[in-house]
């Protein structure tokens, strides 16, 4: 039994030695590439690494080639592959910078169109969940729009339009939730204005009826919590909001809820008019 264990241990040690030697050999081979003065050889090896998806190895070689060749020949291919290494490693902010730079610096390059698209795609990938800051979502929309405006014949038109629609929906939900938070925290005037802004910014929103109902409720609550001298005027604003809802969505399933609020509004207006008279 002891003999078997010793044999297994020796095999394990031998295995580790072989792996170590192999790793050392690979490291030496890679260092040889980095130290070589043959730029064409370096490019071939960088491209091999890239094709084998070893982006971490290809990246420093492409970076060196860009520096060495800059000003002597067109480096758009090297630069594009360098940016793609960053993209494939999910370092999207760095990749976005370089893709945009390729588009700006080499507008007639065969890589310009794809670079501008990838730039938008980077910001799309950086777009966070709805609850977080949406600056990168805004940038993604802007760059997708720039792409389709710059290349109206692109075969990526549908992809871009769908992405813009998806990202705008995220912004819409963000704005809706912000308005909803005002309502839940009893800041009814801010809620009403915020919901109106959502409708103005996103006129085709699928939540339009829900938003209209929130506007009616917000103005009613705002009036209800106002000082007596301001209430009549503000109840009338709430009534106008209901009438707009009824006119825009006469068959809405939410209209029954809105009518309940309307009845409360009418009752308060009647009481206020009696008091004022």
């Amino acid at each position: 039994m002891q003999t078997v264990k010793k044999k297994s241990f020796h095999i394990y040690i031998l295995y580790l030695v072989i792996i170590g030697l192999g790793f050392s050999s690979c490291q030496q081979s890679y260092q040889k590439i980095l130290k070589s003065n043959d730029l064409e050889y370096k490019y071939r090896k960088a491209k091999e690494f890239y094709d084998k998806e070893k982006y971490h190895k290809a990246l420093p070689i492409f970076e060196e080639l860009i520096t060495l060749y800059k000003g002597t020949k067109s480096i758009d291919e090297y630069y594009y592959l360098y940016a793609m290494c960053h993209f494939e490693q999910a370092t999207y902010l760095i990749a976005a910078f370089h893709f945009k730079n390729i588009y700006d610096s080499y507008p007639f390059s065969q890589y310009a169109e794809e670079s501008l698209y990838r730039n938008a795609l980077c910001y799309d990938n950086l777009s966070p969940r709805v609850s977080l800051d949406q600056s990168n979502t805004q940038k993604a929309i802007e760059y997708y729009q720039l792409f389709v405006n710059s290349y109206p014949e692109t075969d990526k038109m549908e992809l871009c339009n769908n992405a813009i629609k998806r990202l705008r929906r995220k912004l819409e939900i963000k704005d809706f939730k912000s308005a909803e938070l005002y309502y839940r925290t009893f800041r009814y005037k801010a809620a009403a204005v915020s919901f109106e802004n959502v409708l103005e910014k996103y006129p085709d929103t699928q939540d339009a009826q829900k938003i209209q109902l929130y506007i009616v409720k917000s103005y009613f609550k705002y009036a209800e919590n106002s000082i007596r001298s301001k209430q009549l005027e503000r109840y009338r604003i709430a009534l106008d909001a209901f009438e707009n809802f009824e006119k825009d969505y006469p068959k809405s399933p939410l209209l029954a809820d809105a009518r309940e609020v309307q009845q409360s509004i009418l009752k308060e207006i009647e009481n206020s008019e009696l008091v004022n008279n």
Side-chain angles (χ1 to χ4, degrees):
M1 190 69 178
Q2 283 291 107
T3 306
V4 172
K5 283 185 177 179
K6 282 184 178 181
K7 188 175 181 180
S8 297
F9 178 74
H10 290 147
I11 291 171
Y12 175 70
I13 293 296
L14 181 61
Y15 178 70
L16 288 178
V17 169
I18 292 169
I19 289 176
L21 289 172
F23 179 76
S24 176
S25 174
C26 287
Q27 282 295 98
Q28 288 174 7
S29 177
Y30 184 64
Q31 287 301 316
K32 183 181 175 182
I33 297 167
L34 292 178
K35 291 176 182 177
S36 173
N37 293 320
D38 186 339
L39 300 187
E40 289 300 320
Y41 167 71
K42 280 190 168 184
Y43 168 72
R44 288 196 307 273
K45 298 308 291 185
K47 191 67 170 60
E48 281 178 25
F49 288 135
Y50 180 87
D51 292 339
K52 291 176 181 177
E53 301 182 3
K54 296 180 179 180
Y55 305 112
H56 65 291
K57 288 190 171 183
L59 197 148
I61 304 174
F62 282 128
E63 185 173 21
E64 184 185 12
L65 290 171
I66 291 166
T67 303
L68 292 173
Y69 275 125
K70 194 170 185 178
T72 63
K73 62 180 286 188
S74 178
I75 58 169
D76 54 332
E77 181 185 359
Y78 304 150
Y79 200 2
Y80 174 75
L81 292 173
Y82 172 75
M84 281 299 298
C85 285
H86 280 295
F87 182 85
E88 296 293 352
Q89 293 184 114
T91 49
Y92 295 120
L93 204 56
I94 298 172
F97 171 82
H98 291 299
F99 281 130
K100 184 63 166 58
N101 204 28
I102 292 167
Y103 171 75
D104 291 335
S105 302
Y106 307 99
F108 303 109
S109 167
Q110 62 177 312
Y111 301 103
E113 180 176 342
E114 184 65 18
S115 291
L116 188 57
Y117 172 71
R118 293 270 174 181
N119 174 57
L121 197 56
C122 284
Y123 284 108
D124 193 342
N125 287 330
L126 288 166
S127 175
R129 63 180 183 271
V130 169
S131 61
L132 299 178
D133 177 73
Q134 295 299 310
S135 299
N136 286 326
T137 306
Q138 291 276 15
K139 286 181 181 178
I141 293 170
E142 289 168 14
Y143 283 124
Y144 276 127
Q145 197 61 60
L146 175 62
F147 176 77
V148 297
N149 291 344
S150 301
Y151 300 100
E153 303 301 319
T154 179
D155 59 0
K156 294 183 175 69
M157 182 66 72
E158 187 176 355
L159 277 175
C160 292
N161 286 336
N162 288 338
I164 290 170
K165 190 182 298 183
R166 169 175 48 79
L167 293 165
R168 276 179 61 82
R169 176 61 179 162
K170 185 182 282 191
L171 295 180
E172 180 190 321
I173 292 170
K174 173 84 169 176
D175 289 349
F176 177 86
K177 286 185 177 296
S178 295
E180 202 172 38
L181 181 61
Y182 283 132
Y183 185 86
R184 291 202 308 269
T185 53
F186 316 115
R187 290 177 284 178
Y188 297 116
K189 184 179 180 182
V193 171
S194 296
F195 281 122
E196 286 175 334
N197 287 339
V198 173
L199 279 183
E200 188 176 340
K201 283 174 69 177
Y202 311 101
D204 299 325
T205 175
Q206 64 194 51
D207 297 316
Q209 295 177 41
K210 188 191 297 186
I211 292 169
Q212 287 272 32
L213 179 58
Y214 260 126
I215 292 170
V216 175
K217 287 182 174 181
S218 296
Y219 276 123
F220 171 64
K221 290 288 187 181
Y222 176 52
E224 192 175 45
N225 288 276
S226 297
I227 59 173
R228 186 173 293 278
S229 61
K230 296 286 187 180
Q231 282 185 322
L232 180 58
E233 173 193 351
R234 290 170 182 175
Y235 279 127
R236 285 174 176 160
I237 292 171
L239 187 61
D240 287 342
F242 166 77
E243 289 170 355
N244 287 335
F245 182 21
E246 187 178 42
K247 182 183 69 176
D248 292 341
Y249 303 103
K251 296 181 180 179
S252 171
L254 300 177
L255 197 53
D257 292 339
R259 285 202 173 106
E260 285 185 20
V261 183
Q262 179 211 24
Q263 293 307 307
S264 298
I265 295 169
L266 291 173
K267 184 178 178 181
E268 295 298 337
I269 287 175
E270 184 180 353
N271 291 339
S272 296
E273 286 176 340
L274 286 172
V275 169
N276 289 340
N277 290 332

